[in-house]
Amino acid sequence: MSPTAPAAASRQPVFISFQTNDISRGIVEAIVADNPEATVSEYPAMVKIDAPGRLVIRRETVEERLGRRWDVQELHLSLISLSGNIDETDEEFTLQWGARR
């Protein structure tokens, strides 16, 4: 493996997609706020967010967008698909490839 392989692997794209609804709109707004490199693609019934290397969904940011308490587990209600290794706590839902940074 070359010396640049770990760095390249850490930038492999990840994605998450949600059904389009009121809750997921707030989640997507929070994702964009916390992940400046993320790109959003909207479709008639879903929204897909791609990010190079890592994507973080923070409870606190989603709560700010929704104007109420939000449990990270709630994102599973609108989740369609994702790509990446998952690291989930009470505060964050993170997608990335490889070991946690």
Side-chain angles (χ1 to χ4, degrees):
M1 186 178 266
S2 72
T4 59
S10 69
R11 298 295 289 172
Q12 286 183 331
V14 296
F15 80 83
I16 191 165
S17 58
F18 297 101
Q19 298 172 15
T20 301
N21 58 44
D22 291 337
I23 305 281
S24 65
R25 284 183 192 93
I27 295 169
V28 171
E29 288 175 11
I31 290 170
V32 170
D34 287 337
N35 301 273
E37 291 185 305
T39 57
V40 177
S41 302
E42 295 185 39
Y43 301 95
M46 72 171 241
V47 61
K48 180 180 179 215
I49 303 98
D50 294 280
R54 186 169 192 249
L55 187 137
V56 179
I57 304 170
R58 292 185 175 88
R59 179 193 54 78
E60 183 177 37
T61 309
V62 175
E63 286 180 347
E64 290 170 4
R65 299 309 187 276
L66 295 179
R68 66 167 177 83
R69 287 201 37 79
W70 181 77
D71 187 316
V72 173
Q73 292 286 314
E74 287 183 58
L75 76 84
H76 296 283
L77 298 173
S78 299
L79 181 65
I80 294 174
S81 184
L82 54 80
S83 174
N85 294 333
I86 300 168
D87 184 21
E88 188 173 2
T89 68
D90 290 341
E91 299 300 314
E92 292 183 351
F93 182 96
T94 304
L95 288 174
Q96 64 188 11
W97 292 110
R100 184 175 187 199
R101 294 188 241 180

